[in-house]
Amino acid sequence: MYVGKIVNVLVSFSLPGHIHPLRFQWAGRLIRIQEVTYRWKSREGAKEMHHFSVTDGSTLYELVFDSTSLIWRLENIEA
Amino acid sequence: MAKIIMCSDMDAFFASVEQKTNPLLRNKPIAVIGSGARTVITTASYEARMFGVTTGMTVYEAKKLCPHLIFVVGNNEKYTSTSKELERIYTQFTPDVEIYSIDEAFLDITATHHMFGGVDNVARGIKKAIREHFGITCTIGIGPTILIAKLASDLAKPDGLRWIKEEEVPSLLEHLPVKKLWGIGARTAYALASMGIETCGDLGRAPVSILRRRFGIMGEVLKGMGMGIWARPIMIHEQEPRSIGHSTTLPFDIWTREEIGAYMLQLSEMVGRRARRFGYRGRRVSLTIRYTDFETFTKQMTFPAYTNDTHTICRYAFSILDTIRLRKRIRLMGIRLSLLIRETCQMELFGEFGKRHALVHAMDTVNDRYGEHTLAWASYVHRRELPRVISPAWRPTGIRSVHIK
């Protein structure tokens, strides 16, 4: 299901340039990420977007980090 | 000294990526399909392959073989991004890397393997890096030529590692069916069988004069393949393109000139934009049409002026269309620009052509910055996005690196 909403995400950054989302807020809930199942990059024009497929153990979410605006978006939810 | 060539081939690439992405799909029969209405299976997981599901099957055919098959619409950006990262892993072990396709690469490790403690260590290092980075597997074949390296990887699938040394090649090939060799398809294998040639051993012993009579200059290549000695160098650098083209299976069959024109303009824009981005112009345009009954033909025309302008390419394509009497509805169209030259001349900056050039340049600048189709020609702007498929010719960098959503 497409969501496309801006969300707050708690993230750890480690060398070399590794981004690891830990938890995020969505619909008044704090969702703890159990596993980052896959990560990939895409481009929207000049912007580089970092995609993270994450799960809290029951639901699969796709988070997208816009490295130009530094905004996180919850892109998709798959129950 | 014999070369040491490595072939890295990802195992059921698209399906493995989807199974890694979604834990609910792991260890289940899945098939990755395109987003278009008339899609086919692009990759099947190993669990699905056990039921006979293979690439190219329709959804209906696959469902008949495996009723509980799970269909997943592929995410091309995920696969192309992974392929680019794979190239980065390979180049940590050798600079001599040929990315052959989105999921296959050849590495010449002759000069570098000793820096990593030997051939086995390089292979294990690559497999480990891919497993740790992506959580998916690859098979690595090693041999003295790319043909033998590819054969080794095919024989070791999935998640395998096999090294065929030079001295093992003749005995291995002796009883190997010719169709197992990379590059020998069903048609060639059939033609060889009609000549009494079933195995690579037979092929290697066949007189070259007979093979040449049947297959032309390929006869010598086939004999070399049968003997396991045919080799071509690894192509590290991108070759100059001979043509730039795009084709698409349409979401529905079309017939009217207006419908055809809108798709021709969209394809011309894709061709022209790629030619402009990489600085090429061409003066031969080819138009490919496939009817609903799969009858396919290509017509081409050579024009006096070199171009990479969308509307000029489209006008050229229309000139070709005007010579064709369409007999059936169309399901696939393709436009190709060839006889390419590097764009070196100064553009005409004044008059009608100068205005067009400035307009196209402005559109390209906006689309480069904000993404494809941010500015598009009005004739096709209301149309749905064309279903996009990763071409076998796709590469992580250069002119073949087509951005596919």
Side-chain angles (χ1 to χ4, degrees):
Chain A
M1 181 182 73
Y2 177 73
V3 180
K5 298 275 184 204
I6 292 173
V7 288
N8 289 326
V9 183
L10 182 68
V11 192
S12 80
F13 284 85
S14 59
L15 290 173
H18 202 75
I19 310 170
H20 200 96
L22 301 170
R23 58 191 81 155
F24 65 97
Q25 285 179 318
W26 163 242
R29 287 196 307 133
L30 183 69
I31 295 162
R32 288 169 194 279
I33 294 167
Q34 275 192 9
E35 184 189 350
V36 177
T37 59
Y38 212 76
R39 58 183 79 217
W40 69 99
K41 292 179 199 164
S42 71
R43 294 205 83 86
E44 277 181 19
K47 292 196 285 190
E48 188 171 60
M49 316 296 279
H50 297 256
H51 299 250
F52 300 86
S53 191
V54 302
T55 179
D56 60 358
S58 58
T59 306
L60 193 67
Y61 305 90
E62 185 186 329
L63 293 168
V64 183
F65 178 57
D66 178 341
S67 59
T68 307
S69 63
L70 306 183
I71 284 173
W72 284 87
R73 227 171 42 219
L74 175 61
E75 195 77 347
N76 289 301
I77 298 181
E78 207 171 309
Chain B
M1 188 174 70
K3 288 257 181 205
I4 302 172
I5 307 294
M6 192 173 269
C7 171
S8 170
D9 191 354
M10 304 305 295
D11 299 322
F13 184 40
F14 300 171
S16 301
V17 168
E18 295 306 333
Q19 287 180 313
K20 177 67 182 67
T21 302
N22 187 346
L24 294 174
L25 299 177
R26 293 175 195 168
N27 305 314
K28 290 186 181 157
I30 75 158
V32 177
I33 54 173
S35 58
R38 305 200 267 202
T39 184
V40 292
I41 289 168
T42 54
T43 316
S45 68
Y46 281 97
E47 295 84 357
R49 290 179 194 196
M50 284 163 61
F51 290 88
V53 178
T54 55
T55 300
M57 271 183 182
T58 63
V59 168
Y60 174 75
E61 288 168 331
K63 201 87 186 162
K64 250 184 11 186
L65 289 170
C66 179
H68 54 294
L69 185 65
I70 302 166
F71 294 97
V72 181
V73 174
N75 179 332
N76 292 327
E77 285 179 336
K78 215 188 281 184
Y79 315 140
T80 53
S81 165
T82 304
S83 187
K84 287 175 186 174
E85 291 289 310
L86 285 170
E87 186 183 25
R88 199 181 49 74
I89 290 174
Y90 299 143
T91 51
Q92 287 171 5
F93 292 90
T94 172
D96 299 336
V97 176
E98 174 185 339
I99 303 295
Y100 183 74
S101 69
I102 192 161
D103 62 347
E104 281 172 301
F106 293 107
L107 291 73
D108 185 342
I109 56 164
T110 315
T112 56
H113 68 87
H114 66 278
M115 293 160 61
F116 302 93
V119 175
D120 268 336
N121 280 0
V122 173
R124 288 183 205 289
I126 289 173
K127 284 175 73 72
K128 182 168 177 268
I130 291 173
R131 199 169 44 245
E132 284 179 358
H133 201 85
F134 305 106
I136 55 178
T137 61
C138 72
T139 296
I140 289 187
I142 307 161
T145 63
I146 60 168
L147 181 77
I148 301 300
K150 175 71 177 138
L151 175 65
S153 113
D154 288 346
L155 295 175
K157 277 199 156 290
D159 196 16
L161 166 57
R162 181 156 181 187
W163 184 0
I164 301 174
K165 294 184 179 154
E166 204 171 9
E167 57 273 21
E168 296 170 49
V169 173
S171 58
L172 179 79
L173 293 185
E174 181 56 36
H175 301 292
L176 190 81
V178 287
K179 64 181 177 202
K180 294 269 183 195
L181 280 185
W182 182 48
I184 297 191
R187 202 176 288 179
T188 308
Y190 182 78
L192 288 168
S194 71
M195 299 163 71
I197 298 169
E198 302 275 356
T199 67
C200 297
D202 298 337
L203 184 57
R205 281 186 294 275
V208 72
S209 55
I210 292 175
L211 292 171
R212 206 182 291 145
R213 208 175 306 141
R214 177 69 182 78
F215 299 100
I217 52 165
M218 281 304 292
E220 253 162 279
V221 173
L222 285 170
K223 185 173 171 72
M225 288 168 78
M227 294 167 76
I229 56 170
W230 175 82
R232 71 151 172 82
I234 283 195
M235 291 181 209
I236 305 157
H237 304 292
E238 192 181 21
Q239 309 292 302
E240 279 289 312
R242 289 158 68 178
S243 65
I244 298 169
H246 285 274
S247 66
T248 188
T249 299
L250 305 166
F252 48 88
D253 300 335
I254 59 171
W255 171 253
T256 68
R257 193 175 168 87
E258 189 197 353
E259 287 173 319
I260 295 168
Y263 283 111
M264 283 212 312
L265 182 59
Q266 196 164 357
L267 288 165
S268 301
E269 167 67 5
M270 290 158 76
V271 171
R273 181 146 161 70
R274 194 146 61 100
R276 294 191 295 274
R277 178 178 290 163
F278 291 94
Y280 287 98
R281 293 160 162 269
R283 67 186 187 95
R284 177 176 290 162
V285 172
S286 312
L287 176 68
T288 298
I289 286 177
R290 176 173 295 158
Y291 290 137
T292 45
D293 62 0
F294 285 82
E295 182 190 343
T296 309
F297 57 90
T298 299
K299 281 195 90 173
Q300 61 184 36
M301 275 190 184
T302 306
F303 299 88
Y306 285 94
T307 189
N308 55 19
D309 171 66
T310 299
H311 277 266
T312 309
I313 296 168
C314 191
R315 205 176 64 237
Y316 287 173
F318 259 113
S319 307
I320 300 169
L321 185 70
D322 288 341
T323 67
I324 301 167
R325 193 164 155 250
L326 293 175
R327 290 179 290 107
K328 295 162 221 168
R329 295 176 79 83
I330 298 171
R331 70 171 275 137
L332 176 144
M333 275 176 55
I335 289 179
R336 182 165 294 277
L337 184 67
S338 56
L339 291 184
L340 301 177
I341 54 161
R342 280 273 181 189
E343 194 168 40
T344 49
C345 57
Q346 172 66 42
M347 298 295 302
E348 187 195 328
L349 298 175
F350 304 103
E352 198 50 44
F353 190 80
K355 278 186 191 169
R356 169 74 59 74
H357 175 68
L359 173 65
V360 168
H361 179 70
M363 282 181 72
D364 285 347
T365 307
V366 169
N367 289 334
D368 282 344
R369 180 155 184 189
Y370 296 105
E372 294 302 317
H373 308 301
T374 302
L375 274 183
W377 301 100
S379 321
Y380 68 76
V381 79
H382 63 287
R383 287 181 191 274
R384 284 177 289 177
E385 176 88 357
L386 292 176
R388 304 290 294 274
V389 177
I390 301 172
S391 153
W394 183 91
R395 298 291 182 274
T397 52
I399 195 163
R400 291 169 164 191
S401 174
V402 179
H403 178 248
I404 308 159
K405 273 235 167 188

